[in-house]
Amino acid sequence: MAYIINDSCINCGACIEECPTEAITAGAEKPDIDADKCIDCGACAGVCPVDAPVED
Ligand code: SF4
Ligand code: SF4
């Protein structure tokens, strides 16, 4: 399991610094989550203003 970022993302970047495993990297439309690094902690979802990170 890993989190993914859905299309409601406004690319604010807040989740990138929040991730404890540096699984999230910046992208042109929205950040990308490396499923191999994601530990399902939910920190990205907690900081996101639009609830874009969801469990895959
Ligand atoms: Fe990073 Fe946790 Fe979000 Fe996974 S759930 S991308 S480990 S902040
Ligand atoms: Fe997108 Fe939410 Fe991350 Fe901001 S915090 S970049 S809106 S997923």
Side-chain angles (χ1 to χ4, degrees):
M1 290 288 290
Y3 273 65
I4 58 168
I5 295 174
N6 70 25
D7 288 342
S8 59
C9 175
I10 57 171
N11 216 6
C12 72
C15 57
I16 296 173
E17 294 191 8
E18 200 70 16
C19 180
T21 64
E22 299 183 348
I24 310 176
T25 51
E29 303 287 328
K30 59 184 181 181
D32 178 66
I33 295 178
D34 182 341
D36 291 333
K37 292 183 178 176
C38 178
I39 57 171
D40 265 334
C41 73
C44 50
V47 73
C48 180
V50 295
D51 295 327
V54 292
E55 287 184 274
D56 191 14

